Amino acid sequence: MGIADDGQGQRMYELVRELFPFCRSITGDGVRRTLESVGRHIPLEIKEVASGTPVLDWTVPNEWNIRDAWIKNRAGERVVDFRRSNLHVVSYSIPVHRWVPIDELREHLFSLPDRPELIPYRTSYYKESWGFCIPHSLLESLTDAEYEVCVDSTLETGYLTYGEYVVPGDTELEVLISSHVCHPSLCNDNLSGISAAVFLAQWLQSLPARRYTYRFLFIPVTIGSITWLAMNRDRVGRVRHGLVLTCVGDGAPFTYKKSRRGDVEIDRVVQHVLRHSEAAFRVQEFFPYGYDERQFCSPGFNLAVGCLMRSTHGTFPEYHTSADDLSFVRPEHLFESLARLVDVIEVLEGNRVYVNLKPEGEPQLGRRGLYDAIGGDSHAANRQLAMLWMLNMSDGKHTLLEIAEMAKVPFEEMRAIAELLEQHALIARADSLDEPNARLAMVRS
Ligand code: ZN
């Protein structure tokens, strides 16, 4: 079980590299090009929602596109050039082309005085304005009396674009995997999540069968999830588990942010997987900030959706700066994130409920050779105890994960024990009695 890196980490990184140059925002051609690239890896369905469409308490905004932008000095030299970095332009800047006195220009310039060589990332989606983001060292070198400023952009009626891909399963119960597609050339906070989702979808495709249906969303943050929720109200009740993926390409330990409900199956599964991965990790309680879990976990939906990260937004020095580049994410970190996601899905898929077929007294294990079957190594006593846990708690009420947690063994080990006991006709799957899943799963009330 689990996966080994057969070059996937490198392929995940190549996808990040391919997507890096596109000037994404919450709408526009940068998102479309990104989804086109993703669509070459998985059969993505592209959705376009018209500007002005009411979505929950919001409205789909006008579409923003940009061709070029620059600031020229008196000598006609581009001192700031969008072609060198798309971070230079405040996202959603309205068009402008005129000479601007330096004092006025400074009001439109954003920099990081404490990190003078980095370009910050700024947006102005819902307030019409224009601006440039530049290294502080460059800002301090601007001494001409005026500069020629050009933002060759359009902000017009158009569409919000997002991508959706469904991997069908045996049931209509869904696992929702969401990543955002709205940041320009930023790797960890954006492209790492897209890449992890794409390769997770490919892995799911390769399985012979799936218990759950998996729905992948590639959406602009906030307005994208609000739009999706508005358009899929009738479908939302099918979502049993979900994860938002972001910042999964750097080398920090994993961070899991729990769903708003805090103790649903996905919360338990991710923590179980991280606890048994033998690496440090952090768990955060839900808070109403961050990424699209804010919308999925709004009280009217309250979906069982958590958020898997490594570094967390706002806390790493590269966050929302030009330092979140291709050198900040690494193939091995991307792969490790994929591997943990695969572990999580394997637990979700295998987290069944069993009944003991010999529940009156303990069945005689020695007579069946079951002590021998698991004996011999240093963990034998623990595994025998795990088998007793499995037999005792297989009452049609406890999931395999709950029993593994009671016995303090990895899910995988308990699943192997369950298979062995099943072969000896001591337990049987109680799918019709799958109550704990129903109890844990999201039911929209
Ligand atoms: Zn961000």
Side-chain angles (χ1 to χ4, degrees), residues 173 211-212 240-241 261 264-265 351 353 397 399 431-444:
L173 301 181
R211 174 186 181 188
Y212 290 107
R240 290 302 152 110
H241 321 286
R261 295 158 70 189
V264 289
E265 193 173 349
N351 194 21
V353 174
K397 295 193 177 80
T399 65
D431 287 351
S432 60
L433 300 171
D434 215 353
E435 290 304 322
N437 273 334
R439 172 165 50 79
L440 289 167
M442 180 274 162
V443 179
R444 193 177 165 205

Side-chain angles (χ1 to χ4, degrees), residues 211-387:
R211 174 186 181 188
Y212 290 107
T213 292
Y214 290 81
R215 184 175 301 276
F216 288 82
L217 299 181
F218 299 87
I219 51 179
V221 89
T222 305
I223 190 66
S225 50
I226 284 172
T227 299
W228 185 84
L229 286 164
M231 322 233 356
N232 291 278
R233 274 186 156 133
D234 56 332
R235 187 186 281 162
V236 163
R238 297 183 196 167
V239 175
R240 290 302 152 110
H241 321 286
L243 281 176
V244 170
L245 305 181
T246 183
C247 298
V248 291
D250 68 308
F254 284 99
T255 303
Y256 178 65
K257 176 181 172 181
K258 292 185 194 174
S259 74
R260 180 177 181 270
R261 295 158 70 189
D263 195 26
V264 289
E265 193 173 349
I266 189 70
D267 298 321
R268 296 182 188 194
V269 170
V270 176
Q271 290 177 85
H272 179 88
V273 163
L274 293 177
R275 203 178 303 127
H276 288 281
S277 68
E278 292 172 5
F281 68 98
R282 297 167 292 195
V283 175
Q284 295 178 335
E285 297 297 325
F286 177 80
F287 56 95
Y289 197 64
Y291 296 89
D292 284 316
E293 69 278 9
R294 294 159 63 172
Q295 314 309 328
F296 297 129
C297 297
S298 55
F301 294 105
N302 205 12
L303 300 180
V305 175
C307 180
L308 186 68
M309 302 163 273
R310 301 185 71 121
S311 285
T312 62
H313 63 87
T315 64
F316 54 101
E318 296 82 359
Y319 174 76
H320 280 193
T321 75
S322 50
D324 185 0
D325 63 6
L326 289 165
S327 66
F328 185 53
V329 299
R330 301 304 315 151
E332 60 270 28
H333 305 320
L334 288 164
F335 177 77
E336 192 186 20
S337 298
L338 177 66
R340 289 298 81 74
L341 287 165
V342 164
D343 293 343
V344 166
I345 304 271
E346 284 181 337
V347 177
L348 283 177
E349 288 279 315
N351 194 21
R352 302 283 189 170
V353 174
Y354 292 82
V355 284
N356 185 334
L357 301 176
K358 300 260 184 234
E360 295 174 323
E362 283 181 5
Q364 200 181 354
L365 298 179
R367 171 158 61 85
R368 295 177 170 86
L370 284 171
Y371 275 124
D372 294 345
I374 57 172
D377 60 58
S378 59
H379 299 300
N382 277 346
R383 293 168 74 182
Q384 283 175 12
L385 187 55
M387 186 177 281

Side-chain angles (χ1 to χ4, degrees), residues 121 180 183 189 291 319-320:
Y121 162 56
H180 60 290
H183 289 36
D189 179 13
Y291 296 89
Y319 174 76
H320 280 193

